[in-house]
Amino acid sequence: MPCYRGPELSALLPRVVGMTDVDWNFQLAEQLDWHWREQLRPRLDGMTDAEYRWEPAPGAWNVRPRGTGTAPVQVGAGEFAIDFAVPEPDPPPVTTIAWRLGHIIVGVLGMRVASHFGGPPFDYATHRYPGDAATALAQLDEAYAGWITGVRGLGADGLARPCGPAEGEWGWASMAQLVLHINREMLHHGAEIALLRDLYLWQYDGASRGTGQGA
């Protein structure tokens, strides 16, 4: 695709703004799904359990064996619990890959799939947080599949309807706005996780640990 700038871009804009045949449902879904297929999901391949729960700073929030956490709140239904505090500290602690994946799986995707697309119930307190990377990535794949399938099925009318009570004070916002918000959340947290993988790989005096993931 050519890269337009300056006068070329100015000349092109009136035509772009005037287009009426754009499939916005496709474009909103594809923005995230292209990133998922081509960048984010491949970037998570090969993650080790050590990376998954590595704490990059003292006091980091993590997913821990039940009863071993020091955060004010630990929630979860299984053998592992996720660290939390209500209200969140200012500044909030650094969080591990395990914590960030848990947030994406439950708060970003799972709860929205349940609320808007008929998925199974999801919440932070009853989720079974895994202690290993492979199970967390399998949970991520399932939650993402539910979300992107739901988004692709919205159509123009579905994008225009309000989100409703599931989004609390934002219930007046359109589903299109929610889709854009989730796109931003996935891009943001996915980049954080990718950076943590890089930091883990190069944490010893710039000498790679040789885990094999790309930059």
Side-chain angles (χ1 to χ4, degrees):
M1 178 178 292
C3 180
Y4 295 102
R5 56 178 62 87
E8 294 175 326
L9 181 59
S10 298
L12 180 65
L13 280 175
R15 286 184 285 156
V16 173
V17 173
M19 289 191 298
T20 59
D21 58 349
V22 177
D23 182 346
W24 290 112
N25 197 160
F26 173 82
Q27 294 297 336
L28 289 174
E30 190 63 14
Q31 180 189 49
L32 176 59
D33 202 43
W34 185 93
H35 176 67
W36 171 264
R37 297 189 315 265
E38 303 297 330
Q39 295 180 322
L40 177 55
R41 190 57 183 85
R43 188 69 173 79
L44 305 180
D45 287 344
M47 185 184 298
T48 66
D49 294 347
E51 286 179 90
Y52 172 66
R53 294 176 56 203
W54 174 60
E55 298 188 5
W61 278 356
N62 206 344
V63 169
R64 309 176 188 278
R66 183 171 299 283
T68 65
T70 58
V73 179
Q74 294 93 45
V75 296
E79 296 179 3
F80 287 80
I82 195 168
D83 293 331
F84 268 106
V86 181
E88 184 181 84
D90 184 18
V94 172
T95 55
T96 64
I97 292 176
W99 195 100
R100 294 171 199 230
L101 284 175
H103 171 59
I104 292 173
I105 292 162
V106 180
V108 177
L109 298 174
M111 292 171 66
R112 268 51 182 264
V113 174
S115 298
H116 302 291
F117 301 129
F122 247 96
D123 63 69
Y124 285 108
T126 61
H127 182 64
R128 299 183 71 87
Y129 299 93
D132 66 287
T135 303
L137 292 176
Q139 290 182 352
L140 176 67
D141 290 341
E142 183 176 2
Y144 179 77
W147 172 255
I148 199 66
T149 299
V151 170
R152 290 196 183 279
L154 282 171
D157 290 342
L159 287 172
R161 74 169 187 258
C163 294
E167 298 302 324
E169 64 180 303
W170 304 104
W172 55 267
S174 69
M175 284 296 294
Q177 288 171 278
L178 176 61
V179 171
L180 286 168
H181 171 67
I182 298 303
N183 286 5
R184 290 190 295 268
E185 284 280 275
M186 291 293 290
L187 293 166
H188 166 64
H189 291 302
E192 291 176 330
I193 291 169
L195 177 58
L196 282 174
R197 293 204 75 189
D198 287 339
L199 291 173
Y200 178 85
L201 180 66
W202 294 98
Q203 65 183 291
Y204 296 106
D205 300 322
S208 169
R209 292 176 61 89
T211 56
Q213 78 266 21

